[in-house]
Amino acid sequence: MKTKNVVLGLAVIAMGFTSCKNETEMKAEKTVDSYEKYVDSVGKVAEVDAKANWAAVEAGYEARTAEAEAALENFKDKTKAQERLHASKAKYAELKAKYEAQVAAEQKAKAETTTAATGNGLRDTFFGGKLGEDMNFNWVNKDNILSVYQNFVDTFNKNKDSYSREDFDKIKTWYEALDAHKNKVEKEGLTSKDNLQIAKLKLEFAPKFKWERMTAKADENAKAKE
């Protein structure tokens, strides 16, 4: 009788272990199911919404991936569960690559539009909106050319740390065009006093511009390598 009770007791304990183990594996199964459903749901979200909230999507994915990978330990057939995870990871990676490519393309287009829009804005800071794309300096004469140079140098000194390599190239073109026009203005009666002041400004500007432009190019090359 006692032996029978012992056997029954062991059977009950064994059933308890089996039940506990089944419950643990069921919980793991639900975790992996949730992971698969999350990845599937990302593919069903409207592209515009997915891209707009991609940081949140990525955070949710990372959290569920960690949970699913931890749950693998509770599967009898880990190989099959691992294959399910790999399949969902591949599906997510494909979605991520697609959205990131679209976002990169949109950002590039936006940057190009901004560059085009700010190109005139940058030029206006140096010439007060008086210089057009035709680079016509006819509005610069012997009476105002000193102030034009002064504004050019002052503007550069004020904003030199914010210019990109492309900006420096534009500034160089504008400066050289202004210098070329100065030769014409000198023949129109530019005073010696103003000419001397312009020479001082040019002497101040040239080495500073060369250094800043060279530094900007070096910085962008370094970032590109990263």
Side-chain angles (χ1 to χ4, degrees), residues 5-7 11 20 42 69 92-93 124 133 143 149 191 195 202:
N5 289 339
V6 170
V7 172
C20 181
V42 174
E69 289 178 340
Y92 182 83
D124 289 348
E133 293 184 6
D143 298 318
Y149 268 98
T191 65
N195 206 354
K202 287 167 60 67

Side-chain angles (χ1 to χ4, degrees), residues 96-119:
K96 181 178 179 180
K98 181 182 74 171
Y99 288 133
E100 288 185 342
Q102 291 177 356
V103 170
E106 290 170 2
Q107 290 178 339
K108 180 180 179 181
K110 183 178 180 181
E112 290 175 350
T113 301
T114 301
T115 299
T118 56

